[in-house]
Amino acid sequence: YAARVEQAKANLAAQIASLSNSQQSQRSREAALTGQEAAIGSAQAQLVKAQADMKRADALVADGSISERERDQTRAALLAAQAAVRQASAAQQVGQQDIRSVLVGRGGLQASVEGARAQLHLAQIDLDNTVIKAPVDGQLSEIGVRSGAYVTAGTQLMFLVPRD
């Protein structure tokens, strides 16, 4: 029974560690989300630049200052910038879902911690029940059980003779 108590203590410690790991995982994913939000800002800035370049290219191709090929390259850069904004937005949504997953999983981890606490409590009760205490001081007589024997509730183990 003492070994079961120690095992329950170790299980409780493992469950608490898993819960703490979940909290650290949440902080890590929140930091990653901040990075993804910064990436969106960068992609949007590149998009604004590409849109401005495209306006200039359209005006310059009209008066013959640049070739159609150069305008096509500017248009490709604009399309790439638009795709980069969409990609950064998608990465942000994935990051938000990662955080939600951690939060949803935390409920199960908290339940596991409480279950481990209950197991420890039950193991401690079983261990405490291995000690039999007499209700009063006295001396034993007629011991009807031996060490290591299994007994059931209501079995008379011995007689206690009071000091008086």
Side-chain angles (χ1 to χ4, degrees):
Y1 289 106
R4 286 185 185 162
V5 168
E6 292 305 313
Q7 183 181 24
K9 285 180 183 178
N11 185 34
L12 176 59
Q15 296 302 326
I16 289 171
S18 292
L19 182 59
S20 295
N21 188 33
S22 170
Q23 292 165 344
Q24 177 57 37
S25 180
Q26 177 186 353
R27 287 190 292 274
S28 173
R29 289 194 169 110
E30 286 170 348
L33 182 61
T34 302
Q36 290 161 348
E37 289 167 354
I40 288 174
S42 175
Q44 287 172 338
Q46 292 297 322
L47 177 60
V48 168
K49 180 188 178 300
Q51 288 169 336
D53 288 346
M54 190 66 209
K55 280 183 186 179
R56 282 191 293 278
D58 284 338
L60 291 172
V61 85
D63 68 7
S65 296
I66 64 170
S67 68
E68 289 285 329
R69 182 178 172 276
E70 289 173 308
R71 186 177 71 104
D72 290 344
Q73 288 175 337
T74 305
R75 180 157 176 71
L78 174 63
L79 294 174
Q82 290 170 339
V85 169
R86 287 192 302 272
Q87 184 179 18
S89 295
Q92 179 190 31
Q93 291 173 356
V94 168
Q96 290 170 339
Q97 294 304 319
D98 283 347
I99 292 171
R100 285 190 187 116
S101 294
V102 170
L103 294 175
V104 167
R106 186 166 301 146
L109 293 172
Q110 289 171 332
S112 295
V113 167
E114 292 308 312
R117 279 195 177 112
Q119 287 176 339
L120 174 59
H121 183 69
L122 289 174
Q124 189 64 50
I125 288 172
D126 287 344
L127 178 62
D128 293 344
N129 286 338
T130 62
V131 177
I132 300 171
K133 295 185 180 183
V136 294
D137 286 343
Q139 208 166 9
L140 295 178
S141 71
E142 285 191 49
I143 300 172
V145 67
R146 298 286 175 236
S147 179
Y150 288 99
V151 296
T152 59
T155 302
Q156 186 165 351
L157 305 177
M158 59 200 74
F159 288 96
L160 180 67
V161 179
R163 288 183 187 213
D164 296 340

